[in-house]
Amino acid sequence: MLNNTMYELGAMRSCIRELFEYGLRQAKAVGKENVFDYSLGNPSIPAPALVNESIRDIVENENTLQVHGYTSAAGYDGVRKAVADDLNARFQAGVRPENLFFTCGAAPALVSVLKALITGPEAEILTVAPFFPEYRPFTEANGGKFTVVPPDMEHFQINFEALEAAVNANTQGVIINSPNNPSGVVYTRETLERLAAILRAKGEEFGHPVYLIADEPYRELVYGGVQAPWVPAIYENTVVCYSWSKSLSLPGERIGYVLVPDACADAEALYCAVAGAARICGHVCPPSLLQRVVARCVTQMPDLAAYDENRTLLYRELSRMGYHMAKPDGAFYLFIQAPDGDSEAFSEKAKQKNLLVVPGTSFGCREYFRICYCVSNDMIRRSLPVFEELINGK
Ligand code: PLP
């Protein structure tokens, strides 16, 4: 006998992974240069030089036993202080080191927060489409009810009427992700203020806080002078889940944090519940070496020139061809309307031409498909005629 939920989660094939693996097989069959793979969000700019320099220096010059030893579950005090100082310098965030709980990336940070908030089968977690598909299993496998607020199809900000109707007495938390995967949209301050007002009013109506879970692995990936507003300054009951997977191009190294600011309702208890949730997921401590790297690199900003060049080229050329898409101010994705409104059929047609794009169905928006532009600029240029053929129905 096995746990069937876990079996099914393990056996289920991810559409993105399948496309990616199909791309690898096709590359062998027709040549790598003839496959245009926009499926997977693996950073394509290298980690800043200081990351590798720090790793070398730490391994060569710091105490080996400590470098590879256990740390406290929440992370080294000094490292948490370095991150708190950086957040305070950039956002006047008022963060204390004790507000930070380091994790192995944003995914385990989210799971810990959700586990901490899901009190029973009636507890509900809301998210706004389009959304990162893992939110669903993270919520449901932890015993909660997962509800999707339909998208604002015009600007991919928030459909407030639908959100207001969806929040109810069982709503424990609302997950937002800005800059957004898959749309590339950055929520404006106005959007966040309106969201805060609704959640505040609902919290008062239902007599308990509705937490906002700000999933922010793309916070620093913004273009053209756009800034992602600091959400805890706008809504007091915000918990932040962060990772350096994208900002330092370190997705395989696994380092991030949960931030529970003092202003959150029941902040101390919530922090404790996050630590407890992490513990029963088998979290022992965040990687010691990576914590030390983060402390040295925390003020590094990614060099986004290559992503920006790809973004500008794709947005300009695809718009010229007649594709419609959300304005991509952040992350490294474009979310594009399928010409006939069916992204599944479009993705299948594109696949026949070795152009791999992800249907929007699992992101909660079947009409759109996602492309990930952390690829070579050359591949983008060679793929443009295929996009043109597809929109012309060829
Ligand atoms: N949240 C979003 C929106 C993501 O796109 C990703 C990864 O792509 C994650 C969370 C998980 O990030 P991490 O690698 O830090 O676990």
Side-chain angles (χ1 to χ4, degrees):
M1 285 277 278
L2 296 174
N3 179 314
N4 203 41
T5 307
M6 296 305 139
Y7 169 78
E8 281 174 3
L9 279 169
M12 205 191 300
R13 303 281 293 153
S14 134
C15 150
I16 299 175
R17 280 268 153 201
E18 263 187 22
L19 269 173
F20 175 69
E21 278 158 26
Y22 174 83
L24 294 180
R25 287 197 302 278
Q26 275 303 90
K28 278 194 190 140
V30 301
K32 199 169 178 289
E33 67 288 357
N34 297 314
V35 178
F36 312 113
D37 184 358
Y38 287 99
S39 63
L40 206 64
N42 220 356
S44 61
I45 56 175
L50 185 60
V51 168
N52 286 344
E53 282 162 28
S54 302
I55 292 173
R56 269 186 230 110
D57 188 56
I58 293 165
V59 170
E60 282 170 14
N61 297 317
E62 292 192 13
N63 179 312
T64 301
L65 281 175
Q66 284 171 9
V67 168
H68 300 304
Y70 289 127
T71 79
S72 79
Y76 285 115
D77 290 348
V79 177
R80 291 193 291 159
K81 178 163 184 334
V83 173
D85 287 348
D86 175 64
L87 293 173
N88 295 340
R90 285 198 287 152
F91 306 115
Q92 293 75 51
V95 170
R96 295 179 299 115
E98 295 75 17
N99 300 124
L100 292 163
F101 187 93
F102 270 66
T103 59
C104 297
L110 284 161
V111 171
S112 302
V113 172
L114 293 172
K115 249 184 152 37
L117 292 180
I118 294 170
T119 47
E122 71 295 336
E124 204 167 322
I125 300 295
L126 249 62
T127 198
V128 178
F131 64 96
F132 181 53
E134 293 296 277
Y135 298 158
R136 184 185 292 283
F138 289 174
T139 302
E140 290 178 348
N142 283 305
K145 183 167 175 232
F146 185 68
T147 301
V148 178
V149 176
D152 151 24
M153 298 293 271
E154 210 182 329
H155 303 295
F156 287 98
Q157 294 281 322
I158 294 179
N159 177 343
F160 282 107
E161 269 162 40
L163 178 109
E164 214 163 344
V167 181
N168 64 70
N170 293 323
T171 308
Q172 287 280 87
V174 176
I175 312 175
I176 55 166
N177 167 226
S178 167
N180 185 266
N181 172 10
S183 73
V185 161
V186 179
Y187 286 170
T188 62
R189 178 168 295 278
E190 192 192 352
T191 291
L192 294 166
E193 281 172 354
R194 212 167 148 192
L195 174 64
I198 292 172
L199 298 187
R200 220 170 266 136
K202 294 283 181 184
E204 270 170 36
E205 181 184 344
F206 299 126
H208 64 80
V210 180
Y211 290 100
L212 186 58
I213 304 157
D215 177 26
E216 299 197 329
Y218 302 96
R219 189 199 295 138
E220 282 76 28
L221 274 64
V222 281
Y223 310 96
V226 169
Q227 289 284 323
W230 178 244
V231 186
I234 299 172
Y235 182 57
E236 51 287 1
N237 293 320
T238 299
V239 178
V240 177
C241 296
Y242 183 77
S243 105
W244 283 275
S245 291
K246 322 287 172 172
S247 57
L248 290 182
S249 292
L250 290 174
E253 303 297 352
R254 317 306 305 146
I255 187 82
Y257 62 75
V258 177
L259 165 67
V260 183
D262 288 329
C264 257
D266 302 319
E268 264 181 50
L270 177 55
Y271 183 94
C272 228
V274 167
R279 181 179 174 189
I280 67 146
C281 290
H283 170 90
V284 176
C285 66
S288 166
L289 174 62
L290 265 292
Q291 289 185 63
R292 290 159 189 259
V293 171
V294 158
R296 292 183 185 212
C297 298
V298 70
T299 57
Q300 293 277 305
M301 285 296 136
D303 176 1
L304 299 176
Y307 291 158
D308 201 9
E309 199 185 331
N310 290 354
R311 176 188 78 107
T312 310
L313 172 65
L314 277 163
Y315 187 60
R316 188 186 65 224
E317 286 305 305
L318 297 182
S319 301
R320 181 188 60 72
M321 290 174 202
Y323 285 97
H324 295 286
M325 69 207 84
K327 190 159 176 286
D329 286 324
F332 40 49
Y333 307 101
L334 286 176
F335 206 42
I336 307 165
Q337 193 170 27
D340 56 3
D342 180 357
S343 65
E344 298 275 344
F346 182 85
S347 170
E348 211 36 58
K349 255 189 248 161
K351 200 170 154 190
Q352 304 310 317
K353 296 177 184 288
N354 294 319
L355 174 68
L356 308 183
V357 303
V358 181
T361 318
S362 59
F363 302 109
C365 196
R366 189 184 168 115
E367 295 88 334
Y368 280 64
F369 63 90
R370 185 190 82 172
I371 66 175
C372 173
Y373 57 79
C374 31
V375 295
S376 77
N377 194 263
D378 179 56
M379 187 201 95
I380 295 176
R381 288 181 191 280
R382 287 182 292 106
S383 73
L384 291 174
V386 183
F387 280 105
E388 190 133 42
E389 280 172 26
L390 285 163
I391 200 165
N392 291 328
K394 289 189 194 147

